[in-house]
Amino acid sequence: MIVLKQKPLDWILEAARSYDNILIVGCNGCSGIYQVGGEKQVKNLKMVLEMALKIRFGKNINVETCTLLRQCDRDLVASSLRPLVKRIKENGAIISLACGAGVQTVSNVFPKVVVIPGCDTLFVGMRTKELGEFNELCRACGECILFETGGICPLTRCAKGLLNGPCGGMREGKCEVDPTRDCAWALIYERLKAQGRLDLFLKFRPPRDHRVSASPRVWRGE
Amino acid sequence: MRKIYSKLMENLLSGKFVYTAEIEAGKTTNLEEIVEKGKMLKNYVTAINVTDNPGACAHMNPLIPSYVIQRDVGVESVYQITCRDRNRLAIISDLLAAAALGIRNVLAITGDHVIFGDNPEAKPVFDLDSATLVYLIRKMVDEGVDLAGNKIEGEVKFHVGIAANPNAVPLELEILKIARKVKLGIDFIQTQCVFDIDVAKEFLREVRKFNIPVLIGICPVRSIGMMKWYIKECPGGIKIPADMQERLIAARKQKGKKAVLEKSIEISAELIKELRKTTNAAGVHIMAIGFEHVIPKIIEHSS
Ligand code: SF4
């Protein structure tokens, strides 16, 4: 999923303070599941925003809310938000609590409306429950090799993104960059060994074709 | 059998015990000091490695000292290239320049991460890694083309070496990694520092099947702090046997700071003697950055 975190409240207040009408749009996709920008967080932000703007700047504003199933769905955004956007026409802005794709979908559908990102998008990853932390897992490189690397992505999880690792800095299975973290290539080695597929560890991967993942990427379907 | 382009390769294949040493290009515009160091080492070593932004610190491009050492000192250089700071275009152009300047030995390494260096905010490149760099060099030398297959005018004559860490845990993983590069076609291996003769022996046993000459890394230490750094912090991890640590600490206690280096010279020489006598190591690669003057002493004591 996409891992994100809410921006500091002061930052959001500063961005929102000059508007009279605000529409907070949440997302029940990754953002909601990770409790960053789902229904509950949208309600909270509405309350805090109204209160803080009043106390700090003596300002009463109208705050509308809406939480979408997925904010990165263009059709869904268009059909669900259109009536609400009408209500914030007078000096209004949208605060989006989705990832960068959600923010830009909203902005794309309503190009005249100012959209304030309420979150910083961090990475594509997973929550490791035991540790209560999130780990980056996929860089969307466009050429998945996970079948060959025991389900562990070296491009993402090796600090140097090496395709023929490990580097000489690996220390007893830990990464040279951060000894509290496992070396991705040590993990790959262990995983392949456990699967009886160590021959794959010997496989040489030629230099990547960076055109595959050069931004901005477009996919036109096949 | 590949052609032989360098004295280093010739000596490595001849069965002679080979000495190489390492110097840094430094954050300097001064080449004189490098030439001086080269002259000091000239009669002792077959070749001198010049490091490429070691520890991710921005130094003079090693290509220049590598060239100057060959031209003004008359000793061969091993031009080190890391993949951290340059993409493949920059590396290809550096290699072309090196070939034009008569550099014949290249050491292909991945490079420490930028966060260890003196400009930690830098963008790490790693467009290539040490394996793909070997692959590139082989293409240039064997096929006369670059990575994309574009033809190169003139010959490219390099021997390509790699680094390896005999101290690595698990060692099997290190060996598999070397095997990957052996298949690509490497000419020699220069290892990370080794203090423990058993570590060297086990490593040499494991890589014997590859039939690639190995220069074991020898690192004298000049202080107890440096010894501890190797044990605790050096990327890759280094083992120093307990009795060796005790000898160094005892020297420090009995005779003061300077005695540590003296003891370390003695220990390094013993290690080399043992390697010469009991292993098939092709030689040693001595690293004593900042106190290169001890290298001749170590070599004298060891032969
Ligand atoms: S130690 Fe492992 S994860 Fe860390 S940079 Fe080296 S190869 Fe990558």
Side-chain angles (χ1 to χ4, degrees):
Chain A
M1 256 181 267
I2 301 197
V3 179
L4 55 171
K5 69 173 200 302
Q6 234 182 65
K7 278 185 176 287
L9 185 65
D10 282 345
W11 188 94
I12 299 177
L13 281 177
E14 197 50 42
R17 60 181 277 204
S18 55
Y19 299 99
D20 299 319
N21 290 290
I22 296 276
L23 167 59
I24 304 175
V25 186
C27 175
N28 270 332
C30 316
S31 186
I33 290 163
Y34 287 146
Q35 298 175 11
V36 180
E39 210 148 345
K40 207 168 131 199
Q41 292 75 39
V42 168
K43 273 197 190 124
N44 278 348
L45 184 63
K46 173 182 159 76
M47 212 169 68
V48 175
L49 206 63
E50 285 171 341
M51 223 156 53
L53 284 174
K54 186 157 179 80
I55 295 167
R56 285 204 205 168
F57 307 109
K59 194 170 173 179
N60 282 315
I61 57 161
N62 167 42
V63 181
E64 306 279 345
T65 62
C66 175
T67 304
L68 303 175
L69 183 63
R70 282 183 301 272
Q71 217 180 106
C72 52
D73 182 331
R74 212 175 174 272
D75 297 337
L76 203 62
V77 166
S79 58
S80 316
L81 294 188
R82 208 168 294 282
L84 288 162
V85 167
K86 279 198 187 121
R87 284 202 233 161
I88 59 152
K89 241 164 92 189
E90 291 298 315
N91 190 30
I94 293 174
I95 297 176
S96 161
L97 289 186
C99 69
V103 174
Q104 292 182 64
T105 305
V106 173
S107 191
N108 179 284
V109 176
F110 305 104
K112 285 193 188 145
V113 185
V114 172
V115 186
I116 299 166
C119 294
D120 287 318
T121 307
L122 302 177
F123 48 76
V124 180
M126 158 185 86
R127 171 164 50 196
T128 31
K129 282 214 186 80
E130 323 84 65
L131 302 169
E133 64 175 22
F134 297 88
N135 285 283
E136 185 179 10
L137 297 181
C138 174
R139 269 210 221 161
C141 73
E143 280 177 320
C144 194
I145 55 163
L146 285 167
F147 169 65
E148 295 175 357
T149 54
I152 292 157
C153 175
L155 201 69
T156 312
R157 294 170 71 180
C158 159
K160 297 174 185 169
L162 304 179
L163 289 181
N164 297 289
C167 71
M170 188 266 295
R171 248 188 115 134
E172 296 185 28
K174 297 295 176 190
C175 175
E176 75 166 22
V177 171
D178 177 357
T180 67
R181 245 171 20 204
D182 291 322
C183 161
W185 277 100
L187 291 178
I188 292 170
Y189 165 78
E190 293 297 345
R191 191 71 68 82
L192 288 175
K193 198 170 170 180
Q195 294 178 351
R197 299 161 82 215
L198 258 191
D199 52 313
L200 280 171
F201 195 84
L202 280 169
K203 181 170 172 173
F204 166 69
R205 291 188 179 77
R208 278 195 74 215
D209 179 350
H210 285 276
R211 289 173 299 187
V212 177
S213 50
S215 291
R217 288 182 255 179
V218 186
W219 170 238
R220 298 201 167 88
E222 252 163 12
Chain B
M1 189 75 198
R2 276 186 214 119
K3 274 192 203 146
I4 297 176
Y5 301 123
S6 73
K7 185 90 195 147
L8 174 64
M9 206 59 221
E10 196 185 309
N11 284 2
L12 285 172
L13 294 177
S14 73
K16 266 188 208 154
F17 195 80
V18 172
Y19 290 91
T20 57
E22 185 159 303
I23 61 173
E24 280 185 356
K27 198 185 285 295
T28 175
T29 57
N30 184 356
L31 280 164
E32 277 158 33
E33 206 181 308
I34 292 161
V35 170
E36 284 311 308
K37 281 181 185 163
K39 284 183 180 158
M40 178 181 73
L41 297 171
K42 183 182 173 176
N43 294 326
Y44 296 91
V45 299
T46 303
I48 299 175
N49 286 48
V50 186
T51 56
D52 179 14
N53 293 351
C57 296
H59 283 186
M60 186 195 299
N61 188 324
L63 176 55
I64 308 304
S66 297
Y67 169 61
V68 168
I69 283 171
Q70 295 199 156
R71 189 193 62 185
D72 296 354
V73 182
V75 60
E76 237 174 56
S77 56
V78 179
Y79 170 40
Q80 298 197 176
I81 303 190
T82 74
C83 302
R84 176 195 52 234
D85 310 320
R86 288 180 286 268
N87 72 2
R88 67 191 78 178
L89 294 186
I91 290 178
I92 292 166
S93 66
D94 282 355
L95 285 167
L96 289 173
L101 292 174
I103 307 289
R104 295 290 174 253
N105 310 299
V106 179
L107 189 76
I109 39 191
T110 302
D112 299 328
H113 197 275
V114 295
I115 62 149
F116 294 110
D118 64 357
N119 285 268
E121 308 85 355
K123 178 177 180 176
V125 180
F126 301 113
D127 179 22
L128 303 181
D129 53 41
S130 53
T132 45
L133 178 51
V134 170
Y135 175 73
L136 162 66
I137 295 169
R138 280 265 71 89
K139 268 187 167 303
M140 293 177 80
V141 175
D142 300 340
E143 301 166 37
V145 296
D146 68 10
L147 268 178
N150 303 299
K151 194 163 172 10
I152 294 165
E153 291 278 335
E155 274 186 301
V156 183
K157 299 175 183 172
F158 289 135
H159 290 292
V160 55
I162 58 162
N165 185 7
N167 304 275
V169 177
L171 185 62
E172 184 192 15
L173 195 159
E174 185 75 9
I175 304 299
L176 289 172
K177 200 174 89 176
I178 297 170
R180 216 193 263 145
K181 293 177 188 165
V182 169
K183 252 198 262 168
L184 293 171
I186 53 166
D187 296 309
F188 61 95
I189 297 173
Q190 287 179 310
T191 81
Q192 177 62 283
C193 318
V194 174
F195 292 89
D196 188 333
I197 186 73
D198 293 333
V199 164
K201 282 184 180 167
E202 193 187 350
F203 178 77
L204 289 163
R205 237 190 342 263
E206 291 294 328
V207 296
R208 193 176 196 132
K209 56 182 179 246
F210 301 136
N211 208 15
I212 302 283
V214 178
L215 293 147
I216 295 287
I218 300 289
C219 294
V221 297
R222 56 174 164 183
S223 66
I224 299 301
M226 189 174 176
M227 176 188 91
K228 287 189 177 150
W229 180 85
Y230 274 125
I231 301 168
K232 289 205 189 110
E233 280 167 55
C234 178
I238 306 288
K239 284 176 211 150
I240 305 186
D243 60 330
M244 199 180 278
Q245 292 184 39
E246 276 159 27
R247 280 172 73 189
L248 290 164
I249 292 168
R252 169 78 179 81
K253 276 192 191 142
Q254 285 157 18
K255 294 192 201 133
K257 269 187 192 167
K258 277 195 183 145
V260 176
L261 184 57
E262 287 305 316
K263 186 53 76 187
S264 187
I265 293 171
E266 186 187 309
I267 289 173
S268 301
E270 283 170 16
L271 204 58
I272 297 171
K273 270 192 205 157
E274 186 71 15
L275 283 167
R276 293 186 77 147
K277 227 177 17 193
T278 61
T279 75
N280 64 335
V284 290
H285 175 59
I286 309 177
M287 294 165 265
I289 298 298
F291 54 112
E292 293 84 355
H293 65 275
V294 303
I295 296 172
K297 278 194 206 165
I298 293 175
I299 295 175
E300 274 165 9
H301 283 77
S302 70
S303 41

